Amino acid sequence: MIKLLKGNILNVFTGDIYPAEIIIEDGIIKIVRKIKGDFDGILLPGFIDSHTHIESSLMTPSSFAEATIPHGTTAVISDPHEIANVMGLEGIEFMIEDSKRVPLKFFFTAPSCVPATEFETAGARIGANKIKNLLERDEIVALGEMMDFPSVIAENPEAIRKIKAAKKACKPIDGHAPLLSGDDLCKYVEKGISTDHESVYAEEALEKKELGMKIMIREGSSAKNLQELASIGGDFLVSDDMEPGDLIEGHMDAILRKAIEYGIDEAEAVRMVTINPAEHYSLDCGAIAPGRSADIVLVDNLKNFTVKKVFINGELVAKDGEKLFKTMGEKRTPPQGKIRIKGLKSSRLEIQAPGDRARVRVIKVFEGQIITSESVHELPIIDGIIQPLPEDDILKASVIDRYGHGNIGNGFVKGFGIKEGALASTIAHDSHNLIVVGTSTNYMMEAVEILRTGGGLIAVAPDEYMHLKLPVAGLMSHERVNILACKARQLNDFVADMGSSLSNPFMTMSFLSLLVIPQLRLSDKGLFNVEERRFVDPILS
Ligand SMILES: Nc1ncnc2[nH]cnc12
Ligand SMILES: [Mn+2]
């Protein structure tokens, strides 16, 4: 089946824009020839999000595709370590199978850190042997972000085995190196780690770039680094984590608009979401050129990036923001990933201490970032139990093992702004235990008791609660983006009425337990200092 497309094309190799005709046969571009003609808009290669965790959208891959293809996304490179932490290889298999129901091209990475560290409990363990097998599959294009960077630097044998497996499979290794610098960064790069998406500061990204790392500039729901890093420039534009409400506004088209706004050259920005990732991960798309798949997007111009048409393998799959494809096959909800909490009682959410006041380490969270810091506060002790101070925005936090081992880690957090009530979630990066933040133990217990029935996100206020169920592993739903976005918005509004000023309170809370990003985190095994890589006592004195 031969097709012909005509229009102004952006040549990602030269940066030039000129009228051309494109001859497509069986989904592959065969001929591109310059022509004369006057056309509206510009034809670009389909957009690639080269680092994203589908699960963060709360949607399954098929629902994620329905939401993103109309925005010009034709391929994603996804690290399925969220569901892998909950239910191992079964979870990865589910993601791969569900992704085959839609035209969006999903390229997965082999999750390198399941569990993310040895300082937490996950629902599964994926060692070097399983990673070797995964890397032999065509759907797997790289070794996923090597988050346990201290183990890489220390040449931990298991970490080195995983790296060797990727090198043997001739597939690149993604990095995750927040605030890493100097000789430690050199050791990390020397091991063959080729990308990083965690830079928050320009000088941090520049140092990595100077050492040959490819820089992924992240502009998603959880972390927004584009404005800070635009001046340094990078190799890829990525989302990392996108909430449904943000996906309604856009995906790579929205990130491209911001990139231009922050001063990145148009052709360079387009290269960062097309040919650059395609070359790095050896994909057959990424340019309007012979031999590449006919994944093509028609936009109005390189400022608005309003997506008019989307082609995947030469088939028109979206037009004027509406999807034109049918999702194939049946929705499946994998049986695993149930929530199994053992030995929960309110006294286990308390921190005991003698006297009537205690100096306590508190995790401070920040709007629009996933890094945290440690702050010290004096808290009252009543009946031998350290109390939160909601009036000073010091709340309690607990991470409860949901895989049946009975662990509970307790701490205090600052920055949520909630005056009375609790939030709880079965999204708690990356082990996805059950995390809960609240102004009292009672509210926290109420939230956990409701949540353990169906997983997802819940907010409990004095007289009512709101529960967004996520039946797929407690992480995702088959619902469409507009329904999920509406429910997530209602939930965020509900939490704002509880006093929170955070734009994505559940996403911010979900990162409190990510033990691979500085500074102070909470695991199901206790309060954890990331840079010192050790558990610390919440009580200073
Ligand atoms: N930035 C990130 N790094 C590691 N794990 C993640 N899971 C979701 N976002 C992540
Ligand atoms: Mn990361």
Side-chain angles (χ1 to χ4, degrees):
M1 168 76 151
I2 294 182
K3 293 191 175 174
L4 176 63
L5 257 186
K6 289 186 179 180
N8 301 313
I9 68 166
L10 168 68
N11 184 312
V12 289
F13 303 110
T14 64
D16 297 333
I17 296 174
Y18 46 79
E21 62 186 7
I22 307 162
I23 297 175
I24 300 164
E25 193 173 337
D26 300 331
I28 301 293
I29 296 170
K30 298 290 185 183
I31 305 283
V32 180
R33 63 168 79 97
K34 291 185 179 180
I35 56 172
K36 295 211 178 324
D38 192 11
F39 301 97
D40 289 334
I42 301 172
L43 292 168
L44 305 174
F47 303 151
I48 303 170
D49 186 351
S50 48
H51 183 75
T52 190
H53 303 278
I54 303 295
E55 301 92 326
S56 294
S57 71
L58 311 185
M59 290 184 280
T60 53
S62 51
S63 301
F64 178 88
E66 293 174 5
T68 52
I69 285 177
H71 290 290
T73 306
T74 55
V76 294
I77 291 158
S78 177
D79 184 338
H81 71 207
E82 315 302 358
I83 194 166
N85 268 289
V86 174
M87 54 188 192
L89 296 178
E90 301 281 325
I92 299 170
E93 210 52 59
F94 166 78
M95 298 296 272
I96 291 174
E97 287 318 304
D98 188 68
S99 73
K100 288 178 175 162
R101 300 175 57 212
V102 288
L104 183 66
K105 294 180 177 175
F106 286 82
F107 301 100
F108 291 97
T109 64
S112 64
C113 302
V114 174
T117 70
E118 291 313 314
F119 302 100
E120 59 199 292
T121 311
R125 177 175 293 278
I126 296 183
N129 290 336
K130 287 181 184 172
I131 282 173
K132 179 180 165 300
N133 297 337
L134 281 170
L135 284 163
E136 285 162 9
R137 297 182 60 164
D138 291 343
E139 303 93 338
I140 304 285
V141 295
L143 178 59
E145 54 179 301
M146 284 300 287
M147 302 181 291
D148 191 355
F149 49 87
S151 294
V152 175
I153 293 161
E155 300 190 345
N156 164 296
E158 180 70 356
I160 299 304
R161 268 197 295 278
K162 293 172 183 176
I163 289 171
K164 281 186 176 162
K167 289 180 175 175
K168 193 158 180 297
C170 303
K171 294 184 176 178
I173 304 166
D174 277 341
H176 163 107
L179 305 180
L180 199 58
S181 70
D183 292 358
D184 279 351
L185 180 59
C186 290
K187 289 174 190 162
Y188 190 68
V189 175
E190 181 256 330
K191 288 291 173 290
I193 318 289
S194 56
T195 69
D196 180 64
H197 57 277
E198 293 288 349
S199 295
V200 174
Y201 307 104
E203 57 277 7
E204 179 187 2
L206 181 59
E207 184 182 4
K208 290 165 186 171
K209 191 170 182 174
E210 287 166 346
L211 295 174
M213 287 194 108
K214 291 194 174 175
I215 300 302
M216 295 180 160
I217 299 184
R218 171 175 58 181
E219 186 70 12
S221 301
S222 58
K224 302 177 190 307
N225 309 122
L226 184 49
Q227 190 163 14
E228 170 73 16
L229 303 183
S231 58
I232 300 296
D235 301 277
F236 313 126
L237 290 169
V238 302
S239 71
D240 200 358
D241 305 288
M242 287 299 283
E243 284 218 316
D246 291 335
L247 277 177
I248 290 275
E249 304 306 316
H251 185 210
M252 301 316 290
D253 54 343
I255 296 176
L256 282 164
R257 278 194 283 276
K258 279 193 185 169
I260 306 310
E261 192 188 314
Y262 292 142
I264 293 182
D265 165 72
E266 287 89 344
E268 186 51 34
V270 172
R271 267 193 284 271
M272 291 169 77
V273 299
T274 56
I275 190 64
N276 290 4
E279 297 285 276
H280 185 73
Y281 294 100
S282 309
L283 312 180
D284 74 349
C285 51
I288 298 177
R292 290 184 186 263
S293 58
D295 303 347
I296 298 169
V297 172
L298 175 65
V299 298
D300 57 351
N301 56 58
L302 302 187
K303 181 173 179 300
N304 303 329
F305 286 97
T306 308
V307 174
K308 301 290 188 189
K309 287 183 182 171
V310 185
F311 299 87
I312 295 180
N313 293 339
E315 296 297 324
L316 185 62
V317 290
K319 188 168 184 291
D320 296 330
E322 294 302 321
K323 75 174 180 80
L324 300 177
F325 63 90
K326 234 179 98 38
T327 299
M328 313 301 285
E330 296 308 310
K331 294 178 183 175
R332 221 165 51 78
T333 298
Q336 304 87 332
K338 293 284 172 268
I339 298 155
R340 290 178 291 122
I341 296 175
K342 210 172 91 182
L344 178 64
K345 50 183 190 259
S346 52
S347 60
R348 296 198 58 208
L349 301 188
E350 311 282 7
I351 299 180
Q352 265 87 22
D356 55 11
R357 303 202 58 80
R359 288 180 65 245
V360 173
R361 295 176 206 271
V362 174
I363 303 173
K364 190 158 180 355
V365 297
F366 302 93
E367 169 62 33
Q369 294 299 349
I370 52 181
I371 50 174
T372 64
S373 69
E374 174 175 321
S375 62
V376 177
H377 296 268
E378 197 169 87
L379 296 178
I381 297 170
I382 300 175
D383 301 335
I385 293 169
I386 301 180
Q387 301 299 314
L389 270 185
E391 60 274 26
D392 284 352
D393 190 18
I394 311 278
L395 307 186
K396 285 166 59 66
S398 297
V399 173
I400 302 166
D401 171 328
R402 69 164 193 156
Y403 303 109
H405 306 87
N407 304 326
I408 296 181
N410 296 310
F412 293 90
V413 293
K414 183 173 178 62
F416 281 84
I418 291 165
K419 301 294 178 252
E420 189 175 359
L423 307 181
S425 167
T426 45
I427 299 175
H429 294 286
D430 279 338
S431 295
H432 300 295
N433 285 300
L434 195 155
I435 192 163
V436 55
V437 166
T439 57
S440 76
T441 302
N442 288 344
Y443 281 124
M444 291 164 79
M445 284 295 288
E446 191 181 339
V448 172
E449 286 306 337
I450 300 168
L451 193 60
R452 66 194 294 184
T453 59
L457 314 174
I458 188 165
V460 171
D463 306 320
E464 56 181 332
Y465 71 83
M466 190 175 280
H467 182 187
L468 197 169
K469 290 191 177 178
L470 296 172
V472 179
L475 299 175
M476 292 172 277
S477 159
H478 276 294
E479 286 188 300
R480 293 185 189 288
V481 64
N482 50 329
I483 304 288
L484 278 170
C486 177
K487 289 183 176 179
R489 191 168 40 252
Q490 287 171 349
L491 195 55
N492 283 347
D493 291 348
F494 187 90
V495 177
D497 290 345
M498 292 167 72
S500 180
S501 52
L502 292 172
S503 53
N504 286 312
F506 282 95
M507 188 163 261
T508 300
M509 180 170 70
S510 72
F511 281 98
L512 284 174
S513 51
L514 184 55
L515 308 188
V516 289
I517 295 187
Q519 169 62 33
L520 189 63
R521 302 278 164 182
L522 188 59
S523 148
D524 63 300
K525 294 178 179 175
L527 196 61
F528 187 74
N529 180 309
V530 177
E531 280 169 320
E532 296 171 14
R533 266 173 85 71
R534 66 182 180 91
F535 290 109
V536 290
D537 189 332
I539 303 166
L540 278 165
S541 59

